[in-house]
């Protein structure tokens, strides 16, 4: 006779399938309760010290650990992966990317700013600081029609895509105010999804309110944000802008110039602004770029010209602007 006795009801319970609860147990496991104070008076405090220690915090929940220099590679991976997976989940295959100044508001707001400064200067006519700001505000107001053009362009793209329900394309911007807001707003007006790629900065900022909430992303690294701007891009449209606009524009021009990426339409909106801001002919004459490099872009003045030019560019290439189900 065996000196070991089987547990009560062990055999009867094994005669038929008996699925256990996926989470709950009838009897708690030993580690489900801390060591009781009756066995060691200092045990609860020691356990709490362990639970509160940085080392015990799960790695993917430890933001201090994830921000260390040594974990930069992991941050780069997730900075890329999160928007990539969500864009795929939403079926986004193509983007029309729009850049432009955050300082060019809609015309009514630009006029109000001019009027405010005029009133302030009227009360203090000798204020040189106000004179300078009024002159700048008037120049911004003169460019505020570009807000309307960007908004009309966003509507134009969204309307074209509405005729192709199988085509997963969207307007994409940097997610800020000004020209980027206008482009997102135009797509929003037309009931289309629209994407914004924000970046974390040392000061507080807000995305514009016309981005589809589940398609507004915030990046830590400019490099990964730049990657996502061009990864699905079928055209780049640059309105008058400053450092940020120049950064994205010239990076794209360089990538196309070197054929690091496949050429795509690059449209500069507002010839008067761009020819004064960047003297391409001077650069060609000085021999710092080739003649053919001056042909990597063209100018447009209206939403219709932008859109028609992009379509003509693809027709000249013998390929469609948008395809379906081909993103890899």
């Amino acid at each position: 006779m065996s000196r070991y006795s089987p547990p009560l009801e062990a055999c009867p319970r094994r005669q038929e399938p008996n699925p256990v609860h996926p989470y709950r147990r009838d009897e708690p496991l030993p580690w489900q309760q801390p060591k009781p104070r009756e066995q060691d008076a200092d045990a609860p405090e020691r356990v709490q010290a362990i639970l509160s220690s940085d080392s015990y915090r799960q790695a993917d929940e430890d933001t201090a650990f994830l921000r260390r220099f040594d974990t930069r590679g992991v941050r780069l991976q997730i900075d890329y992966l999160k928007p990539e997976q969500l864009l795929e989940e939403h079926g986004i295959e193509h983007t029309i990317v729009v850049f432009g100044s955050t300082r060019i508001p809609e015309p009514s707001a630009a006029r109000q700013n001019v009027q405010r400064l005029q009133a302030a200067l009227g009360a203090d006519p000798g204020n040189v600081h106000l004179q300078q700001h009024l002159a700048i505000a008037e120049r911004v107001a003169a460019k505020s029609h570009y807000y309307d053009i960007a908004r009309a362009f966003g509507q134009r793209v969204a309307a074209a895509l509405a005729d192709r329900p199988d085509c997963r394309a969207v307007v994409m911007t940097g997610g800020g105010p000004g020209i980027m807001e206008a482009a997102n707003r135009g797509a929003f007006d037309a009931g289309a999804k629209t994407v914004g790629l924000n970046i974390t900065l040392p000061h507080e900022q807000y995305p514009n309110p016309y981005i589809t909430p589940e398609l507004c992303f915030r990046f830590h690294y400019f490099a990964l944000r730049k990657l996502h701007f061009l990864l699905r891009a079928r055209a780049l449209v640059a309105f008058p802008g400053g450092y940020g606009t120049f950064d994205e524009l010239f990076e794209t021009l360089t990538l196309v110039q070197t054929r690091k990426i496949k050429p795509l339409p690059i449209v500069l909106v507002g010839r008067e602004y761009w020819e004064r801001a960047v003297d391409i002919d001077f650069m060609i004459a000085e021999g710092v770029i080739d003649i053919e490099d001056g042909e990597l872009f063209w100018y447009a003045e209206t939403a219709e010209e932008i859109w028609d030019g992009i379509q003509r560019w693809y027709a000249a290439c013998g390929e469609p602007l948008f395809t379906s189900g081909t993103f890899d």
Side-chain angles (χ1 to χ4, degrees), residues 171-301:
V171 171
M172 174 183 281
T173 77
I179 294 299
M180 294 179 288
E181 172 188 294
N184 289 131
R185 188 175 185 177
F188 173 85
D189 291 339
K193 292 181 179 180
T194 182
V195 179
L197 306 185
N198 269 179
I199 187 77
T200 298
L201 298 172
H203 48 269
E204 189 174 22
Q205 62 168 332
Y206 296 95
N208 73 66
Y210 305 106
I211 305 166
T212 303
E214 58 268 27
L215 292 175
C216 188
F217 306 102
R218 185 171 60 162
F219 290 82
H220 179 77
Y221 294 103
F222 270 103
L224 274 301
R225 182 177 183 243
K226 290 172 179 288
L227 172 64
H228 277 290
F229 272 133
L230 292 178
L231 191 59
R232 293 167 168 81
R234 298 295 285 172
L236 170 67
V237 181
F239 284 77
Y243 287 159
T245 301
F246 277 57
D247 177 29
E248 302 297 346
L249 171 62
F250 279 97
E251 180 178 51
T252 305
L253 286 170
T254 301
L255 291 170
V256 173
Q257 177 197 48
T258 58
R259 301 304 190 268
K260 186 66 175 177
I261 64 172
K262 185 179 179 180
L264 77 165
I266 301 173
V267 189
L268 305 189
V269 184
R271 177 190 287 267
E272 181 181 1
Y273 174 85
W274 285 109
E275 286 190 334
R276 185 169 181 181
V278 186
D279 194 337
I280 297 294
D281 292 333
F282 171 76
M283 297 170 69
I284 293 172
E286 289 293 304
V288 295
I289 61 174
D290 292 322
I291 294 175
E292 65 180 284
D293 297 327
E295 300 173 354
L296 298 179
F297 64 90
W298 73 89
Y299 300 109
E301 302 298 330

Side-chain angles (χ1 to χ4, degrees), residues 22-270:
Y23 308 112
R24 190 178 63 247
R25 289 176 54 85
D26 294 334
E27 295 292 335
L29 292 164
W31 52 80
Q32 289 185 259
Q33 296 293 331
K35 188 175 182 67
R37 189 179 296 276
E38 306 86 70
Q39 297 179 13
D40 185 337
D42 296 330
E45 288 74 17
R46 289 174 180 168
V47 170
Q48 187 56 50
I50 294 171
L51 296 178
S52 302
S53 68
D54 291 339
S55 64
Y56 194 76
R57 190 173 298 117
Q58 190 170 295
D60 60 349
E61 298 176 356
D62 189 345
T63 55
F65 173 75
L66 290 174
R67 290 185 180 130
R68 290 173 53 171
F69 177 83
D70 294 342
T71 56
R72 178 172 292 172
V74 175
R75 294 198 303 274
L76 285 163
Q77 287 181 318
I78 60 177
D79 216 30
Y80 160 76
L81 189 59
K82 179 180 178 180
E84 176 65 17
Q85 288 192 339
L86 291 176
L87 287 168
E88 286 189 3
E89 288 174 8
H90 283 271
I92 305 301
E93 297 178 5
H94 304 299
T95 58
I96 300 294
V97 179
V98 179
F99 292 121
S101 177
T102 60
R103 292 173 169 83
I104 299 179
E106 54 189 303
S108 60
R111 289 192 298 270
Q112 289 173 4
N113 192 39
V114 169
Q115 293 167 359
R116 179 183 62 81
L117 288 167
Q118 287 174 335
L121 189 59
D124 188 8
N127 191 316
V128 177
H129 180 75
L130 284 175
Q131 292 173 5
Q132 182 182 32
H133 277 267
L134 175 58
I136 294 172
E138 290 173 341
R139 294 302 306 148
V140 170
K143 291 190 290 293
S144 63
H145 68 284
Y146 288 119
Y147 184 101
D148 289 338
I149 296 172
R151 184 175 179 180
F153 178 68
Q155 291 174 328
R156 184 70 186 83
V157 174
L161 296 174
D163 296 333
R164 298 191 53 184
D166 62 329
C167 182
R168 305 296 181 87
V170 292
V171 171
M172 174 183 281
T173 77
I179 294 299
M180 294 179 288
E181 172 188 294
N184 289 131
R185 188 175 185 177
F188 173 85
D189 291 339
K193 292 181 179 180
T194 182
V195 179
L197 306 185
N198 269 179
I199 187 77
T200 298
L201 298 172
H203 48 269
E204 189 174 22
Q205 62 168 332
Y206 296 95
N208 73 66
Y210 305 106
I211 305 166
T212 303
E214 58 268 27
L215 292 175
C216 188
F217 306 102
R218 185 171 60 162
F219 290 82
H220 179 77
Y221 294 103
F222 270 103
L224 274 301
R225 182 177 183 243
K226 290 172 179 288
L227 172 64
H228 277 290
F229 272 133
L230 292 178
L231 191 59
R232 293 167 168 81
R234 298 295 285 172
L236 170 67
V237 181
F239 284 77
Y243 287 159
T245 301
F246 277 57
D247 177 29
E248 302 297 346
L249 171 62
F250 279 97
E251 180 178 51
T252 305
L253 286 170
T254 301
L255 291 170
V256 173
Q257 177 197 48
T258 58
R259 301 304 190 268
K260 186 66 175 177
I261 64 172
K262 185 179 179 180
L264 77 165
I266 301 173
V267 189
L268 305 189
V269 184

Side-chain angles (χ1 to χ4, degrees), residues 9-32:
E9 301 183 359
C11 295
R13 294 180 68 179
R14 292 176 184 166
Q15 291 177 354
E16 297 292 337
N18 185 33
V20 298
H21 193 277
Y23 308 112
R24 190 178 63 247
R25 289 176 54 85
D26 294 334
E27 295 292 335
L29 292 164
W31 52 80
Q32 289 185 259

